[in-house]
């Protein structure tokens, strides 16, 4: 299996640290709002990487954090007049709903920065003890980049050039820094901000130290794969390497994987989708128009290292592509039932494949090999999806109600397995997510409390359209499927 490693800028053969196991860390979102579909790209891409490893028989320990202490979370909390914990808890829940909708598996562990402060204080102290960090007079603790000769190895930047680049930008409040490229490990609190006690000052951690500490705690000093969007290469991942390797003296991550951006065309300008540019769609918005399987399929239709432009046309094409797969799967189910009835009547049992079916089964095995070759070439999901379409075509042309049950079942199982690695269901999802129902019920209760009965009725109507009937009982609102 070959993986493009940002560290060496080459595709390299994957060799796990421990045979049969993969330790993987994926930087997660900062939770101050609904996630947008740009944030969803790494989630879908690296979930697919995980699924492929699992398909190959690896045991994957997949850790992905929530950054729940940050300026933007604090700003939102001030705006709403609530504690910042209220904001982060709310958007962690919402993010998990979106992940479920996109069929992104929950991580083995989803650590939260605010619950790992003890580990951060410890690592910062180790770095100070080893001469890799220092506390400035105001209590800010900085990493001493000049103490780590490998600084710049991931982003392929030269420390000297970085220093002169940074010197151009004078930042107020950073007078305590020895060198402009030094970065914050711990910073003093400002009025009204959440803070923790430390020997340096009452304050909070810098962003980079969070991931170094959470990766170490849940996966160990050395891990196989560290991943995230390409905007994280510098400074976030560069700084993570400096912190982790300086503290442990061991190599941190063996393979660094980065997805390219999801872009959007705005009046002829292609831009990265981002909160700050205001050119984003949330996953929630997309889910109102499409089954999120379509979004997932769209994301995987490009290689993860290629930029991907979001457009209504491409979403429609993905919807149609997915429909072709689902129709083929429907046909296979029907053909299998008809064939089973026929075989029962004729008392046929065992592998009733004829020689033509044997030959087609060989073609299918060759397609599976082609699919694996695509995925093992740095997870080329675009080519993997093309193979799925070849299988659909073969299924449509070779399966009929006269085929043997054994052959139909083989085609069906193969299609399901290949789609499953992509996180694509071959059964139609008429199932409405429970979380979605509960959410609408909660919104209806709020509307009723605010005596906004028109909105409450509208929500009841929407639920009815989804096949959900509400019952107002003394114990609260109950729901059932109509
Ligand atoms: P953030 O919440 O901004 O820290 O981002 C969470 C993850 O989403 C990181 O891995 C980012 O690199 C990634 N990300 C943010 N915007 C985009 C985008 N437009 N395309 C692809 N990945 C993105
Ligand atoms: Zn991170």
């Amino acid at each position: 299996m070959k993986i493009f490693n940002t560290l060496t800028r080459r595709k390299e053969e994957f060799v796990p640290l421990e045979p049969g196991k993969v330790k993987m860390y994926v930087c997660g979102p900062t939770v101050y709002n609904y996630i947008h579909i740009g944030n969803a790209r790494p989630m879908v891409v690296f979930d697919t990487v995980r699924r492929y490893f699992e398909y190959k028989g690896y045991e994957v320990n997949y850790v992905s954090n929530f950054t729940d202490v940050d300026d933007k979370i604090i700003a939102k909390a001030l705006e709403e007049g609530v504690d910042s914990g209220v904001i982060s808890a709310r958007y962690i829940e919402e993010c998990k709903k979106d992940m479920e909708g996109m069929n992104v598996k929950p991580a083995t562990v989803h650590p939260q920065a605010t619950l790992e402060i003890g580990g951060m204080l410890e690592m910062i102290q180790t770095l100070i003890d080893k001469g890799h960090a220092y506390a400035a007079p105001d209590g800010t603790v900085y990493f001493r980049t000049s103490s780590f000769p490998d600084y710049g190895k991931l982003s392929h930047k030269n420390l000297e050039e970085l220093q002169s680049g940074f010197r151009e930008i004078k930042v107020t409040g950073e007078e305590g820094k020895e060198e402009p490229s030094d970065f914050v490990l711990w910073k003093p609190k400002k009025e009204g901000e959440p803070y923790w006690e430390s020997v340096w000052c009452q304050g909070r951690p810098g962003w980079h130290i969070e991931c170094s500490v959470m990766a170490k705690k849940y996966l160990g000093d050395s891990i196989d794969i560290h991943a995230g969007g390409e905007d994280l290469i510098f400074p976030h991942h560069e700084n993570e390497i400096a912190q982790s390797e300086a503290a442990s003296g061991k190599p941190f991550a063996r393979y660094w994987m980065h997805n390219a951006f999801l872009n959007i065309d705005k009046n002829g300008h292609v831009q990265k989708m981002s909160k700050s540019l205001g050119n984003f769609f949330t996953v929630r918005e997309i889910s109102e128009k499409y089954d999120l399987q379509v979004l997932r399929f769209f994301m995987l239709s490009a290689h993860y290292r290629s930029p991907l432009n979001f457009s209504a046309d491409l979403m429609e094409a993905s919807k149609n592509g997915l429909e072709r797969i689902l129709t083929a799967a429907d046909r296979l189910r029907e053909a299998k039932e008809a064939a089973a009835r026929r075989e029962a009547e004729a008392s046929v049992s065992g592998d009733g494949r004829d020689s033509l079916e044997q030959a087609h089964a060989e073609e299918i095995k060759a397609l599976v090999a082609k699919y694996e070759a695509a995925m093992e070439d740095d997870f080329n999901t675009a080519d993997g999806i093309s193979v799925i379409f070849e299988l659909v075509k073969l299924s449509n042309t070779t399966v009929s109600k006269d085929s043997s049950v054994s052959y139909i079942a083989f085609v069906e199982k193969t299609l399901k397995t290949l789609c499953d690695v992509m996180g694509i269901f071959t059964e139609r999802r008429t199932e409405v997510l429970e979380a979605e129902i509960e959410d609408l019920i909660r919104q209806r209760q709020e509307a009723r409390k605010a005596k906004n009965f028109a909105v409450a009725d509208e929500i009841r109507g929407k639920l009815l359209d989804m096949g959900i009937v509400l019952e107002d009982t003394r114990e609260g609102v109950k729901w059932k499927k109509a």
Side-chain angles (χ1 to χ4, degrees), residues 25-28 65 207-208 211 226 232 236-237 240:
Y25 187 95
V26 182
C27 292
N65 67 297
W207 170 35
H208 318 299
C211 288
H226 195 123
L232 301 188
H236 187 52
H237 288 165
E240 277 191 49

mmCIF file of all heavy atoms in Angstrom, residues 25-28 65 207-208 211 226 232 236-237 240, ligand 2:
data_model
loop_
_atom_site.group_PDB
_atom_site.id
_atom_site.type_symbol
_atom_site.label_atom_id
_atom_site.label_comp_id
_atom_site.label_asym_id
_atom_site.label_seq_id
_atom_site.Cartn_x
_atom_site.Cartn_y
_atom_site.Cartn_z
ATOM 1 N N TYR A 25 -4.075 9.686 13.771
ATOM 2 C CA TYR A 25 -4.611 10.886 14.429
ATOM 3 C C TYR A 25 -5.031 11.897 13.359
ATOM 4 O O TYR A 25 -4.243 12.244 12.484
ATOM 5 C CB TYR A 25 -3.543 11.514 15.336
ATOM 6 C CG TYR A 25 -4.069 12.655 16.175
ATOM 7 C CD1 TYR A 25 -4.502 12.438 17.480
ATOM 8 C CD2 TYR A 25 -4.168 13.954 15.655
ATOM 9 C CE1 TYR A 25 -5.004 13.486 18.255
ATOM 10 C CE2 TYR A 25 -4.670 14.998 16.419
ATOM 11 C CZ TYR A 25 -5.077 14.749 17.717
ATOM 12 O OH TYR A 25 -5.582 15.785 18.478
ATOM 13 N N VAL A 26 -6.279 12.335 13.439
ATOM 14 C CA VAL A 26 -6.792 13.302 12.468
ATOM 15 C C VAL A 26 -7.254 14.557 13.213
ATOM 16 O O VAL A 26 -8.099 14.467 14.106
ATOM 17 C CB VAL A 26 -7.972 12.713 11.657
ATOM 18 C CG1 VAL A 26 -8.465 13.714 10.617
ATOM 19 C CG2 VAL A 26 -7.575 11.398 10.987
ATOM 20 N N CYS A 27 -6.681 15.717 12.847
ATOM 21 C CA CYS A 27 -7.080 16.952 13.534
ATOM 22 C C CYS A 27 -8.541 17.259 13.252
ATOM 23 O O CYS A 27 -8.974 17.282 12.108
ATOM 24 C CB CYS A 27 -6.216 18.129 13.069
ATOM 25 S SG CYS A 27 -4.521 17.931 13.613
ATOM 26 N N GLY A 28 -9.276 17.473 14.330
ATOM 27 C CA GLY A 28 -10.720 17.699 14.189
ATOM 28 C C GLY A 28 -11.070 19.179 14.204
ATOM 29 O O GLY A 28 -10.190 20.042 14.272
ATOM 30 N N ASN A 65 -9.752 14.759 17.465
ATOM 31 C CA ASN A 65 -10.106 15.645 18.591
ATOM 32 C C ASN A 65 -11.198 16.649 18.249
ATOM 33 O O ASN A 65 -11.523 16.872 17.086
ATOM 34 C CB ASN A 65 -8.863 16.428 19.014
ATOM 35 C CG ASN A 65 -8.438 17.390 17.929
ATOM 36 O OD1 ASN A 65 -8.073 16.987 16.839
ATOM 37 N ND2 ASN A 65 -8.522 18.678 18.212
ATOM 38 N N TRP A 207 -3.002 26.281 20.663
ATOM 39 C CA TRP A 207 -3.714 25.258 19.886
ATOM 40 C C TRP A 207 -2.841 24.029 19.603
ATOM 41 O O TRP A 207 -3.287 22.886 19.750
ATOM 42 C CB TRP A 207 -4.193 25.914 18.582
ATOM 43 C CG TRP A 207 -4.750 25.012 17.542
ATOM 44 C CD1 TRP A 207 -5.490 23.871 17.746
ATOM 45 C CD2 TRP A 207 -4.641 25.170 16.115
ATOM 46 N NE1 TRP A 207 -5.853 23.329 16.537
ATOM 47 C CE2 TRP A 207 -5.339 24.108 15.526
ATOM 48 C CE3 TRP A 207 -4.026 26.120 15.292
ATOM 49 C CZ2 TRP A 207 -5.440 23.950 14.137
ATOM 50 C CZ3 TRP A 207 -4.137 25.971 13.912
ATOM 51 C CH2 TRP A 207 -4.827 24.901 13.353
ATOM 52 N N HIS A 208 -1.560 24.270 19.239
ATOM 53 C CA HIS A 208 -0.735 23.151 18.767
ATOM 54 C C HIS A 208 -0.461 22.094 19.840
ATOM 55 O O HIS A 208 -0.410 20.910 19.546
ATOM 56 C CB HIS A 208 0.597 23.671 18.214
ATOM 57 C CG HIS A 208 0.438 24.899 17.395
ATOM 58 N ND1 HIS A 208 -0.316 24.913 16.248
ATOM 59 C CD2 HIS A 208 0.909 26.170 17.561
ATOM 60 C CE1 HIS A 208 -0.295 26.146 15.733
ATOM 61 N NE2 HIS A 208 0.436 26.919 16.516
ATOM 62 N N CYS A 211 -2.935 18.930 20.307
ATOM 63 C CA CYS A 211 -2.891 17.724 19.472
ATOM 64 C C CYS A 211 -1.698 16.842 19.849
ATOM 65 O O CYS A 211 -1.827 15.623 19.870
ATOM 66 C CB CYS A 211 -2.868 18.099 18.001
ATOM 67 S SG CYS A 211 -4.480 18.718 17.460
ATOM 68 N N HIS A 226 -0.594 10.750 10.642
ATOM 69 C CA HIS A 226 -1.185 11.974 11.176
ATOM 70 C C HIS A 226 -1.769 12.709 9.975
ATOM 71 O O HIS A 226 -1.114 12.825 8.946
ATOM 72 C CB HIS A 226 -0.108 12.820 11.859
ATOM 73 C CG HIS A 226 -0.689 13.885 12.730
ATOM 74 N ND1 HIS A 226 -0.394 13.990 14.050
ATOM 75 C CD2 HIS A 226 -1.568 14.870 12.467
ATOM 76 C CE1 HIS A 226 -1.057 15.017 14.572
ATOM 77 N NE2 HIS A 226 -1.779 15.565 13.623
ATOM 78 N N LEU A 232 -3.145 22.882 7.444
ATOM 79 C CA LEU A 232 -2.576 22.592 8.765
ATOM 80 C C LEU A 232 -1.077 22.271 8.716
ATOM 81 O O LEU A 232 -0.431 22.195 9.753
ATOM 82 C CB LEU A 232 -3.322 21.423 9.423
ATOM 83 C CG LEU A 232 -4.831 21.614 9.644
ATOM 84 C CD1 LEU A 232 -5.379 20.468 10.485
ATOM 85 C CD2 LEU A 232 -5.134 22.933 10.349
ATOM 86 N N HIS A 236 0.558 24.489 12.109
ATOM 87 C CA HIS A 236 0.051 23.544 13.108
ATOM 88 C C HIS A 236 0.832 22.226 13.183
ATOM 89 O O HIS A 236 1.330 21.857 14.250
ATOM 90 C CB HIS A 236 -1.435 23.282 12.870
ATOM 91 C CG HIS A 236 -2.087 22.456 13.924
ATOM 92 N ND1 HIS A 236 -2.003 22.758 15.263
ATOM 93 C CD2 HIS A 236 -2.809 21.308 13.852
ATOM 94 C CE1 HIS A 236 -2.668 21.856 15.965
ATOM 95 N NE2 HIS A 236 -3.159 20.955 15.130
ATOM 96 N N HIS A 237 0.966 21.544 12.068
ATOM 97 C CA HIS A 237 1.630 20.235 12.130
ATOM 98 C C HIS A 237 3.142 20.363 12.328
ATOM 99 O O HIS A 237 3.764 19.530 12.986
ATOM 100 C CB HIS A 237 1.288 19.409 10.887
ATOM 101 C CG HIS A 237 -0.134 18.918 10.919
ATOM 102 N ND1 HIS A 237 -0.782 18.425 9.810
ATOM 103 C CD2 HIS A 237 -1.025 18.851 11.941
ATOM 104 C CE1 HIS A 237 -2.017 18.077 10.155
ATOM 105 N NE2 HIS A 237 -2.187 18.326 11.430
ATOM 106 N N GLU A 240 3.460 20.783 15.935
ATOM 107 C CA GLU A 240 3.199 19.519 16.643
ATOM 108 C C GLU A 240 4.441 18.627 16.625
ATOM 109 O O GLU A 240 4.800 18.022 17.631
ATOM 110 C CB GLU A 240 2.053 18.752 15.968
ATOM 111 C CG GLU A 240 0.668 19.191 16.389
ATOM 112 C CD GLU A 240 -0.384 18.212 15.893
ATOM 113 O OE1 GLU A 240 -0.225 16.997 16.089
ATOM 114 O OE2 GLU A 240 -1.365 18.664 15.277
HETATM 115 ZN ZN1 LIG B 2 -4.156 19.186 15.341
#
